[in-house]
């Protein structure tokens, strides 16, 4: 293993050619739960009117109770996705036209676009260079008299700096939504992710730690916010009158309800969450230890007082130390590895950057969201979406950060060794890769 041609990218024998194990947390418990619901004939028991069924059927209610208990929140409100969860949360917070909502540029785009559904304007806050969450140092300068809320994302599975975010928010009277979709069972100062802001949102989509196909939950200790979320997810316009609601703000309802089928699966999944996250943590700690022996690879580090639940495992790559661009280096590592069984088309899940900075999307560049006339961007005096707006996130995305999921709960020590060996091999032979990016 010395010459250029031993690298798989130049035709050499790859480190690993048989597929990695697939992560599939669904088993017999879920099958039995779904059958029970099917046999009952009640696949959903929601009613859009102000009746007993307004809060859903037995599986939905049991899931909400169990979820609230597991995360230490007073209330959990189930919805059909975390995207819906963010929308109901911002609706309950009263966001509307003319309001600004401070968001992260480095997340799934709904973390930043959710305010638009209420006519609110997203304002992007750059991220911390090592933890990748919105940077409290930059947050306060973005607050204006129009700022109504903040959406802070626990990106990759580590809680954002909620100590400082909540302090700033309380001084300015802002509602804080925690997007905890990637961070179930992570902690900050002994408190669970999802309970660090005023409302926390979780995802149960099929890529997350646990899933029920599609689904989400929003948790809060605030009864009023919980009830407003229940209204918005289920035809608030019909229920508000009979319920005697005084404040009709954003009580234009929708149908974002979860079915009994999904709730029954989600309950089984919740019972498995602890060991699944723990296994990921063990795998990630082993991988961090191995890969950071390579001088050009660093782990950004854990926030003081935080634990990580590792939806993805991010690393920092130092191109100057390596003498080879990040993307070229990763291309060579990918060539040494096999994809996941049953996921061959997706390729090896190891990639430079994460998502593009969200404000690069055509939606923000062209300022076309609701209707074609520039609404809601034209409801505020000025908002900046230019390239270069958040230099840290742009640098991370273009040159410094890389992510992988080669550490999920089905990966065995032997699999992790192969991943580390592939990185080690490419590091040793990197001079053959040339200097191209
Ligand atoms: C997955 C995810 C979402 C959206 O989840 P859905 O349930 O698919 O709507 C939102 N935010 C983050 C950070 C996510 O990872």
């Amino acid at each position: 293993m010395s010459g250029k041609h031993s690298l798989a990218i130049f035709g050499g024998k790859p480190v690993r050619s048989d597929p990695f194990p697939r992560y599939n947390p669904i088993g017999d418990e879920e099958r039995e739960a779904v059958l029970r619901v099917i046999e009952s004939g009640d696949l959903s028991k929601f009613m859009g009117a102000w009746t007993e069924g307004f809060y859903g059927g037995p599986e939905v209610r049991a899931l909400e109770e169990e979820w609230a208990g597991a995360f230490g929140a007073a209330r959990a409100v189930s919805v059909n996705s975390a995207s819906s969860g963010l929308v109901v949360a911002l609706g309950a917070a009263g966001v509307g036209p003319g309001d600004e909502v401070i968001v992260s540029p480095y997340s799934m785009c709904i973390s930043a676009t959710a305010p638009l559904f209420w006519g609110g304007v997203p304002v992007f806050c750059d991220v911390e260079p090592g933890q990748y969450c919105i940077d409290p140092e930059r947050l306060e300068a973005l607050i204006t008299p129009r700022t109504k809320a903040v959406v802070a994302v626990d990106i990759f599975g580590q809680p954002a700096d909620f100590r400082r975010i909540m302090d700033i928010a309380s001084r300015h009277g802002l509602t804080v939504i925690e997007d905890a979709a990637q961070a179930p069972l992570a902690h900050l100062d002994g408190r669970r992710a999802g309970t660090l802001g005023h409302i926390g949102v979780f995802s149960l989509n099929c890529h997350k730690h646990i899933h029920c196909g599609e689904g989400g939950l929003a948790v809060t200790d605030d009864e009023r916010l919980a009830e407003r979320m229940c209204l918005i997810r289920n035809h608030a316009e019909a229920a508000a009158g009979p319920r005697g609601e005084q404040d009709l703000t954003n009580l234009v309802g929708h149908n974002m309800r979860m079915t009994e089928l999904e709730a029954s699966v989600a309950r089984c999944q919740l019972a498995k969450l602890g060991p699944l996250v723990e296994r990921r943590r063990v795998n990630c700690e082993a991988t961090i230890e191995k890969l950071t022996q390579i001088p050009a690879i660093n782990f950004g580090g854990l926030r003081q007082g935080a634990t990580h639940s590792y939806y993805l495992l991010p690393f920092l790559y130092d191109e100057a130390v390596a003498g080879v661009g990040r993307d070229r280096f990763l291309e060579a590592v990918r060539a040494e590895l096999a994809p996941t069984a049953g996921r061959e088309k997706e390729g090896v899940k190891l990639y430079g950057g994460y998502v593009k900075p969200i404000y690069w999307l055509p939606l923000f560049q062209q300022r076309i969201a609701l209707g074609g006339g520039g609404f809601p961007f034209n409801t505020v005096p000025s908002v900046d979406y230019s390239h270069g707006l958040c230099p840290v996130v742009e640098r991370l995305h273009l040159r410094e950060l890389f992510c992988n999921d080669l550490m999920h709960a089905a990966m065995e020590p032997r699999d992790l060794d192969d991943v580390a060996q592939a990185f080690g091999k490419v590091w040793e032979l990197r001079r053959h890769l040339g200097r191209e990016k």
Side-chain angles (χ1 to χ4, degrees):
M1 178 170 109
S2 59
K4 171 172 177 173
H5 293 284
S6 64
L7 282 169
I9 196 172
F10 298 124
K13 185 172 179 297
V15 169
R16 168 84 178 222
S17 36
D18 59 316
F20 285 113
R22 178 181 163 195
Y23 178 60
N24 176 15
I26 305 295
D28 290 340
E29 298 84 351
E30 288 77 6
R31 185 206 320 270
E32 281 156 27
V34 166
L35 278 176
R36 256 197 337 269
V37 173
I38 296 268
E39 281 157 12
S40 79
D42 290 322
L43 307 195
S44 173
K45 291 204 84 173
F46 266 108
M47 295 281 283
W50 183 235
T51 60
E52 168 77 5
F54 180 75
Y55 293 99
E59 293 288 343
V60 160
R61 290 188 195 205
L63 169 65
E64 291 178 346
E65 203 156 295
E66 289 160 10
W67 197 279
F71 289 88
R75 293 282 302 273
V77 176
S78 62
V79 277
N80 56 3
S81 69
S83 301
S84 297
L86 290 167
V87 172
V88 297
L90 288 164
V95 169
D99 290 334
E100 296 172 357
V101 179
I102 298 175
V103 299
S104 169
Y106 220 30
S107 183
M108 239 200 97
C109 46
I110 189 66
S111 315
T113 56
L116 293 169
F117 289 89
W118 300 104
V121 176
V123 172
F124 289 93
C125 178
D126 208 351
V127 301
E128 306 156 304
Q131 286 74 38
Y132 325 117
C133 301
I134 55 170
D135 189 344
E137 296 286 332
R138 298 165 190 266
L139 177 61
E140 199 150 17
L142 297 171
I143 295 173
T144 73
R146 296 171 298 281
T147 309
K148 185 90 175 193
V150 177
V151 180
V153 185
D154 302 330
I155 198 68
F156 305 131
Q158 167 157 232
D161 188 351
F162 275 92
R163 278 178 223 124
R164 288 199 286 166
I165 293 169
M166 293 310 282
D167 175 56
I168 294 166
S170 69
R171 279 190 277 111
H172 295 273
L174 311 178
T175 303
V176 180
I177 314 296
E178 179 179 11
D179 181 344
Q182 301 188 355
L185 297 192
H187 290 79
L188 182 67
D189 298 334
R191 286 174 59 198
R192 292 212 156 92
T195 67
L196 302 169
H198 297 109
I199 301 176
V201 176
F202 296 93
S203 173
L204 289 166
N205 90 20
C206 61
H207 305 289
K208 297 303 190 316
H209 295 73
I210 56 170
H211 79 98
C212 63
E214 304 284 354
L217 285 108
V219 300
T220 182
D221 284 341
D222 184 320
E223 277 299 320
R224 182 182 134 83
L225 289 174
E227 284 302 309
R228 294 186 87 74
M229 292 195 288
C230 289
L231 281 158
I232 294 167
R233 82 166 164 192
N234 184 17
H235 297 297
E237 74 289 348
R243 248 181 79 122
E245 284 298 325
Q246 300 301 310
D247 178 3
L248 293 180
T249 305
N250 290 349
L251 295 191
V252 186
H254 207 296
N255 176 351
M256 301 178 179
R257 309 177 309 206
M258 185 184 274
T259 73
E260 291 287 284
L261 288 167
E262 289 136 359
S264 74
V265 173
R267 293 177 66 197
C268 301
Q269 288 280 284
L270 177 59
K272 300 178 180 179
L273 179 61
L276 289 172
V277 170
E278 191 46 38
R279 181 69 191 278
R280 230 174 239 259
R281 202 168 280 152
V282 168
N283 283 351
C284 286
E285 283 166 7
T287 302
I288 291 166
E289 175 154 352
K290 287 186 184 122
L291 295 200
T292 55
Q293 286 170 17
I294 293 173
I297 295 179
N298 293 298
F299 179 63
L302 290 182
R303 191 182 308 292
Q304 199 195 351
T307 66
H308 204 304
S309 52
Y310 298 109
Y311 172 63
L312 289 172
L313 178 54
F315 285 102
L316 291 166
Y317 180 86
D318 190 331
E319 184 179 304
V321 171
V324 178
R326 174 195 69 185
D327 294 346
R328 181 69 171 156
F329 187 88
L330 294 178
E331 191 188 354
V333 176
R334 270 196 304 273
E336 300 293 337
L337 296 171
T340 297
R343 296 280 185 274
E344 286 79 5
K345 281 211 183 105
E346 293 167 32
V348 178
K349 287 225 172 163
L350 164 69
Y351 37 88
Y354 173 49
V355 292
K356 283 187 188 142
I358 298 172
Y359 56 88
W360 288 6
L361 292 173
L363 155 66
F364 292 105
Q365 290 303 308
Q366 296 175 37
R367 299 181 190 234
I368 303 293
L370 305 186
F375 183 86
F377 309 108
N378 55 13
T379 64
V380 298
S382 79
V383 57
D384 190 3
Y385 299 131
S386 52
H387 281 249
L389 174 66
C390 299
V392 176
V393 91
E394 295 192 9
R395 200 173 76 217
L396 288 167
H397 183 68
L398 293 172
R399 289 196 304 280
E400 293 178 356
L401 184 109
F402 68 91
C403 287
N404 73 92
D405 87 334
L406 304 170
M407 42 34 130
H408 59 66
M411 294 286 277
E412 300 283 345
R414 173 180 93 85
D415 303 314
L416 304 179
D417 286 344
D418 285 345
V419 172
Q421 208 193 317
F423 272 89
K425 178 179 168 186
V426 172
W427 175 254
E428 291 305 324
L429 299 174
R430 69 191 182 285
R431 67 182 180 281
H432 300 298
L433 294 172
R435 297 199 66 91
E436 66 212 272
K437 295 267 162 80

